[in-house]
Amino acid sequence: MRTWFICLLFGVLTFGLGPKIAMAQTIAEKNDKEIRVQEISETLRCVVCKNQSIADSDADLAKNLVALVEERVEAGDSDEEVRAYIVDRYGEFVLLKPTWSWQNAGLWVSPFLLFLLASISAWMFIKSKPKGALKPSTSLSADERKELDQLLGKTKDRS
């Protein structure tokens, strides 16, 4: 009698909780996929909007891209495979953070080169001036002194 009770209790717990555990696992997997889709969508640029991710955009094309990302995640692609698939279709522009390659090396290096060129030009400009050219002259000639005194209304009596 006692063995039957234990078997019955074991069966109820196993078959009663089994579908609920499986359902909880399905929900967890679904949440994981939704999180992955959101994370991938935040790294992809909307080609209609300027500097806005497809996750944040309200454009129809952005919604279609999010649906495409969901489809690729459901198909079992990794995050990098999904990004590569989108880049193959829309080009490197679709990435909010472009990768380093020799094709876009100029974009990565040009700000530093421009700063270096401007710094060298400024240094050469400052060095090319004569040393006294940057300082104002403080001495006046006798004619300049007279003219200044007349302008200021001063008369000098030197008797």
Side-chain angles (χ1 to χ4, degrees):
M1 179 87 170
R2 191 171 188 195
T3 312
W4 282 102
F5 180 73
I6 292 174
C7 288
L8 182 64
L9 182 62
F10 179 74
V12 168
L13 290 176
T14 301
F15 294 112
L17 294 178
K20 290 182 181 179
I21 292 172
M23 191 168 107
Q25 288 174 342
T26 305
I27 291 172
E29 288 174 6
K30 185 176 179 183
N31 286 339
D32 288 343
K33 288 180 181 178
E34 288 175 4
I35 290 170
R36 281 185 57 211
V37 168
Q38 180 68 24
E39 288 174 351
I40 294 170
S41 296
E42 288 173 355
T43 64
L44 298 174
R45 179 190 322 266
C46 174
V47 294
V48 176
C49 309
K50 292 185 178 181
N51 288 334
Q52 194 173 22
S53 70
I54 61 174
D56 298 331
S57 177
D58 291 331
D60 290 334
L61 182 61
K63 292 174 184 174
N64 291 343
L65 284 173
V66 171
L68 183 60
V69 169
E70 287 176 6
E71 179 182 309
R72 299 310 308 168
V73 168
E74 287 291 328
D77 289 356
S78 69
D79 293 359
E80 291 306 315
E81 290 172 335
V82 173
R83 284 188 195 93
Y85 180 79
I86 301 291
V87 168
D88 286 342
R89 289 185 77 182
Y90 294 96
E92 185 101 5
F93 174 75
V94 80
L95 295 175
L96 279 174
K97 293 180 182 177
T99 58
W100 168 266
S101 69
W102 288 109
Q103 295 167 342
N104 62 10
L107 295 173
W108 288 97
V109 176
S110 61
F112 301 109
L113 291 177
L114 287 174
F115 178 74
L116 182 65
L117 182 65
S119 299
I120 291 172
S121 298
W123 181 74
M124 289 176 64
F125 178 75
I126 291 171
K127 285 292 186 181
S128 68
K129 295 286 185 185
K131 290 186 180 182
L134 297 178
K135 295 180 183 176
S137 175
T138 57
S139 61
L140 297 174
S141 66
D143 292 334
E144 291 172 335
R145 173 79 55 199
K146 278 184 184 180
E147 188 178 342
L148 181 63
D149 287 342
Q150 286 175 354
L151 288 173
L152 293 174
K154 294 182 179 178
T155 56
K156 288 190 175 184
D157 293 328
R158 295 187 182 193
S159 320

